[in-house]
Amino acid sequence: MLELRLVQGSILKKVLESIKDLVNDANFDFSSSGLTLQSMDSSHIALVALLLKSEGFEHYRCDRNTSMGMNLGNMSKMLKCAGNDDILTIKGDDVSDTVTFMFTSDLVREIFFYKIADFEMKLMDIDNEHLGIPEAEYHAIVKMPSAEFARICKVLASIGDTGDIGTANIVLRQNTTVDKPEDATVIEMNEPVSMTFALRYMNTFTKATPLSNTVTISLSPDLPVVVKYKIAEMGYVRFYLTPKMEE
Amino acid sequence: PIHQQVLYYYFLDL
């Protein structure tokens, strides 16, 4: 028996929008501690790791560990039928090969649900590779407004990486003299680090911008970059991308 | 030439 209720159903919609362009199919792993997903893109140079902790759900029942393979494109289509203020319920069981998404509006919740919609989606068998990602010390960790990071990636990608139309340099300095803490840019640097990444992937990661006001970028020369979007009270979406290196 | 390692190179395949 699996039953999860998320009052802010829009969170799962945003999560799907942030990962569906990177990964087509993925296993959602449910345990008593929460919902996790780990999947690589088809070229195996980028990885997404999702955590939604059980405490973040209004109701969370997972009798035994379950893995559900879902097509993220189809799941996104179903979740798009939910209003942004809808409560989302996910139901599954051990015997059927489907998962049910139920959307209920919260207009007059104490009395009755104004609208109930449910969608049943077929599950699929996915041979998911799982990578062990060790905790690491990073040379530099940058915490900055997520919208600003998205803007920078978009601008750089539009100029292109061939040098045909010229070059672009963007310097971001630490800035903590801001009214709101989420507007700050904080750079923790243990050692200088210089790395090159495929902007196409970085731009895909920024689809997670609606999930969080801030983004954390962790860099070490020997490791894939980690681009982390914290989901308040619930967990995170983390993206990993391997660097481009000179032969 | 510029090359890009796959993730297995950095992380343990469980």
Side-chain angles (χ1 to χ4, degrees), chain A residues 16-245:
Chain A
L16 257 288
E17 290 314 298
S18 74
I19 62 178
K20 75 176 171 58
D21 293 342
L22 194 67
V23 176
N24 294 328
D25 308 310
N27 280 326
F28 287 74
D29 301 315
F30 299 90
S31 72
S32 55
S33 57
L35 155 59
T36 59
L37 174 152
Q38 193 205 82
S39 188
M40 280 182 278
D41 81 304
S42 57
S43 58
H44 294 186
I45 61 166
L47 179 142
V48 55
L50 165 72
L51 168 69
L52 297 176
K53 287 183 278 190
S54 55
E55 302 95 272
F57 291 81
E58 187 196 42
H59 166 72
Y60 190 99
R61 181 177 168 188
C62 175
D63 294 345
R64 66 183 191 90
N65 292 0
T66 313
S67 195
M68 289 185 173
M70 303 192 205
N71 175 281
L72 301 188
N74 292 343
M75 189 178 170
S76 162
K77 280 177 201 163
M78 294 208 169
L79 292 182
K80 273 187 180 153
C81 301
N84 275 335
D85 299 324
D86 280 1
I87 299 167
L88 167 68
T89 306
I90 303 174
K91 284 182 183 176
D93 58 53
D94 294 338
V95 285
S96 63
D97 57 353
T98 58
V99 60
T100 301
F101 302 108
M102 201 168 89
F103 313 127
T104 43
S105 70
D106 193 25
L107 283 182
V108 274
R109 204 165 159 218
E110 269 73 45
I111 309 164
F112 64 94
F113 286 119
Y114 168 72
K115 178 195 77 186
I116 302 176
D118 65 85
F119 295 80
E120 200 176 73
M121 190 177 81
K122 287 181 185 156
L123 296 175
M124 51 202 297
D125 280 327
I126 299 167
D127 191 14
N128 211 17
E129 294 160 290
H130 219 78
L131 295 185
I133 304 167
E135 286 295 315
E137 293 281 320
Y138 285 91
H139 279 37
I141 299 173
V142 180
K143 186 170 178 243
M144 64 182 291
S146 57
E148 184 63 31
F149 179 63
R151 213 157 25 236
I152 290 172
C153 291
K154 195 175 164 197
V155 166
L156 290 179
S158 73
I159 289 163
D161 54 12
T162 57
D164 286 354
I165 66 166
T167 57
N169 283 296
I170 297 175
V171 177
L172 202 64
R173 290 210 169 90
Q174 174 151 297
N175 173 23
T176 52
T177 54
V178 287
D179 293 338
K180 290 181 280 180
E182 63 259 37
D183 291 337
T185 298
V186 182
I187 302 172
E188 280 175 48
M189 195 184 73
N190 301 316
E191 282 182 60
V193 53
S194 173
M195 300 172 81
T196 307
F197 295 100
L199 273 169
R200 189 169 65 82
Y201 281 92
M202 284 290 184
N203 263 313
T204 307
F205 301 163
T206 62
K207 298 247 161 73
T209 304
L211 280 169
S212 179
N213 289 326
T214 60
V215 60
T216 306
I217 304 140
S218 305
L219 297 154
S220 251
D222 311 324
L223 286 172
V225 62
V226 192
V227 180
K228 179 177 171 180
Y229 293 86
K230 198 168 178 293
I231 305 169
E233 321 294 329
M234 288 217 76
Y236 57 75
V237 179
R238 287 178 186 170
F239 299 99
Y240 296 82
L241 176 64
T242 68
K244 288 183 157 193
M245 290 181 299

Side-chain angles (χ1 to χ4, degrees), chain A residues 40 44-46 129-132 222 242-245 247, chain B:
Chain A
M40 280 182 278
H44 294 186
I45 61 166
E129 294 160 290
H130 219 78
L131 295 185
D222 311 324
T242 68
K244 288 183 157 193
M245 290 181 299
E247 194 84 358
Chain B
I2 290 171
H3 75 288
Q4 199 159 10
Q5 299 278 11
V6 292
L7 284 154
Y8 307 111
Y9 178 84
Y10 302 92
F11 298 144
L12 187 66
D13 192 2
L14 295 176

